[in-house]
Amino acid sequence: MQDFLLRERQGVISERLRLNGRVLATELALEFGVSEDTVRRDLREMAAAGLCERVYGGALPVSPAHGSMTQRIGFAADRKQALARAAAKQIAAGSTVFFDAGSTNLAIANALPAELALTAATNAPAIAAALIDKPAVNVILIGGMVDRQTGGSLGAKALRDMEQISPDLCILGACGVDLEAGITVFGFEDAEFKRFATSRSRKVLVAATSEKFGTAAPHSILPVAHCECLVVEHDADPAVLARYRERGCRTVIAEKTN
């Protein structure tokens, strides 16, 4: 009977996440007539099974940004190109920019105008290859062993290389974006490198497709308040964007795709 009630509660929690985008432990405890400790235990078990991501006070849906970089390149390509065009306009001529690994960031590298002069650093060989075709861009490749999942170099060598650079702008890859959970990713080493890259950068820009919003991955990078610019799709909820701006995050809306 207890196992049945557990499965029943977790089924309700999954449905609440699908409908509302988040759940709070206090509200679930009242609804189920159980203690908050019981609900938190339910959420921990669901998180361990990959059914949600635990955040302070409750849980969020799991970010859909699974798969290797090669697999992600083909997903929502037209929407990523729209984001890329909007993000490229935020890059100042003559600046030093770090391009973090990621399929959307690869699209941004491809979208740079050929005449835009800048110094670009990246830990992603695919992004370096795209940038090298831009005659006005000086390219710095962050070295080390390349992680197949992220498509970027991580670990001690990458951190040492990053230590030599102080970018004006970090174009940060993200798996989840949420007002409370902040910017999150799946990989532990990836998160460590991203945190260091953002700490070296004067400003941070994140371009993310709509399905990443209101979701979380296990490892936190930074709060949204530390993200200077957020590039979003044309159909982003204006009320939600206003809340991001209240946290000090400038929002840029991409054009609608055909």
Side-chain angles (χ1 to χ4, degrees):
M1 181 65 174
Q2 187 174 1
D3 287 343
F4 171 76
L5 291 176
L6 170 62
R7 292 196 299 272
E8 190 175 57
R9 287 197 305 270
Q10 292 187 353
V12 172
I13 292 169
S14 294
E15 183 65 11
R16 295 286 186 277
L17 285 169
R18 187 183 69 82
L19 293 174
N20 303 327
R22 67 175 61 236
V23 293
L24 297 176
T26 52
E27 293 178 356
L28 291 172
L30 287 173
E31 180 177 352
F32 296 146
V34 298
S35 69
E36 286 187 40
D37 283 343
T38 297
V39 171
R40 283 193 285 267
R41 186 164 58 248
D42 289 349
L43 295 178
R44 283 196 298 270
E45 291 183 6
M46 291 179 69
L51 301 175
C52 71
E53 283 297 338
R54 291 280 286 117
V55 294
Y56 181 77
L60 291 171
V62 177
S63 166
H66 290 284
S68 68
M69 182 171 171
T70 302
Q71 293 168 329
R72 297 194 308 273
I73 287 173
F75 174 76
D78 56 339
R79 292 157 54 201
K80 290 177 182 177
Q81 288 167 11
L83 289 171
R85 290 190 292 270
K89 294 177 182 177
Q90 310 307 309
I91 299 175
S95 59
T96 297
V97 181
F98 173 70
F99 288 78
D100 187 23
S103 57
T104 302
N105 293 350
L106 174 59
I108 296 172
N110 282 318
L112 291 179
E115 70 278 5
L116 182 63
L118 58 91
T119 296
T122 183
N123 63 329
I127 293 177
L131 291 169
I132 206 71
D133 288 335
K134 308 286 182 179
V137 177
N138 296 317
V139 182
I140 301 170
L141 181 59
I142 302 295
M145 183 173 289
V146 177
D147 177 77
R148 285 185 172 86
Q149 192 73 12
T150 64
S153 295
L154 305 175
K157 176 65 165 61
L159 290 169
R160 286 198 300 272
D161 286 356
M162 193 71 216
E163 195 172 19
Q164 308 305 313
I165 307 168
S166 297
D168 299 297
L169 177 66
C170 170
I171 300 178
L172 180 67
C175 297
V177 180
D178 182 73
L179 281 161
E180 304 307 325
I183 312 300
T184 56
V185 292
F186 284 104
F188 176 82
E189 292 290 344
D190 189 28
E192 183 70 16
F193 179 80
K194 290 178 191 294
R195 279 193 293 269
F196 186 69
T198 59
S199 74
R200 299 287 306 168
S201 305
R202 195 161 62 86
K203 294 181 179 180
V204 175
L205 178 149
V206 171
T209 49
S210 295
E211 60 274 358
K212 291 183 180 180
F213 284 87
T215 71
H219 302 291
S220 176
I221 309 304
L222 76 172
V224 294
H226 294 174
C227 176
E228 192 274 334
C229 181
L230 188 62
V231 183
V232 302
E233 294 194 67
H234 74 280
D235 57 354
D237 187 338
V240 173
L241 294 185
R243 295 182 64 192
Y244 279 95
R245 289 192 291 271
E246 288 171 2
R247 303 286 179 94
C249 184
R250 182 168 60 91
T251 58
V252 174
I253 300 175
E255 295 178 354
K256 184 177 180 179
T257 56
N258 295 329

